[in-house]
Amino acid sequence: QVQLVESGGGLVQVGGSLRLSCTAPGRTFSNNAMGWFRQAPGKEREFVAAISWSGINTYYTDSAQGRFSISRDNAKNTVYLQMNSLKPEDTGVYFCAASRTGQSTTDIVQTPPDNLNWGRGTQVTVSS
């Protein structure tokens, strides 16, 4: 399994921005679709954004569309989530996920969570 490591979370005020990063030390996922999920306190983990292996195709949940941007740098083996205009409801633990074999965004969105590789998450807190 590819072990993923997220970073970049923190405390930010409403309307602020954060950029999350995800990497896999010692491994590569340049041929795999990647995504970001989040889990708010007391709620189930939910999909946020996905990116194809090439970075050409992206897909977002409605609440992230227009405010968040997922990107990747395969040369650096890193996936990013740029989050702008943050709201209190964006608060939660953000997890990076990698498809084990798939290359398209649907391989993140439609694959059961147990069949994805995950990081341990990074906390994002948006204060009002």
Side-chain angles (χ1 to χ4, degrees), residues 5 14-16 51 54 60 65 89 98 101 110 119:
V5 178
V14 169
I51 189 166
S54 64
Y60 300 90
Q65 185 72 48
E89 52 264 42
T101 58
Q110 298 181 4

Side-chain angles (χ1 to χ4, degrees), residues 19 36 51 55 58 60 69-73 78-82:
R19 188 177 81 156
W36 287 95
I51 189 166
T58 58
Y60 300 90
S69 177
I70 187 170
S71 61
R72 66 191 298 163
D73 185 337
T78 303
V79 173
Y80 304 97
L81 184 68
Q82 176 67 44

Side-chain angles (χ1 to χ4, degrees), residues 21-100:
S21 299
C22 171
T23 188
R27 299 291 192 100
T28 180
F29 49 71
S30 59
N31 292 323
N32 303 88
M34 302 290 295
W36 287 95
F37 291 72
R38 68 186 177 195
Q39 186 167 18
K43 296 187 177 182
E44 293 186 353
R45 190 176 303 185
E46 64 174 357
F47 167 78
V48 176
I51 189 166
S52 63
W53 73 276
S54 64
I56 292 175
N57 296 308
T58 58
Y59 182 74
Y60 300 90
T61 189
D62 288 346
S63 63
Q65 185 72 48
R67 298 188 300 125
F68 293 5
S69 177
I70 187 170
S71 61
R72 66 191 298 163
D73 185 337
N74 286 341
K76 296 182 178 179
N77 206 35
T78 303
V79 173
Y80 304 97
L81 184 68
Q82 176 67 44
M83 304 187 295
N84 300 324
S85 301
L86 283 162
K87 305 175 181 179
E89 52 264 42
D90 294 319
T91 293
V93 179
Y94 283 68
F95 298 90
C96 179
S99 174
R100 294 177 184 173

Side-chain angles (χ1 to χ4, degrees), residues 3 11 15 18 20 27 41-42 45-46 56 60 67 73 75 88 92 102-104 106 110 113-114 116-117 119 124:
Q3 300 300 317
L11 175 64
L18 282 174
L20 307 182
R27 299 291 192 100
R45 190 176 303 185
E46 64 174 357
I56 292 175
Y60 300 90
R67 298 188 300 125
D73 185 337
Q103 298 185 324
S104 69
T106 55
Q110 298 181 4
D114 286 349
L116 297 173
N117 291 327
V124 171

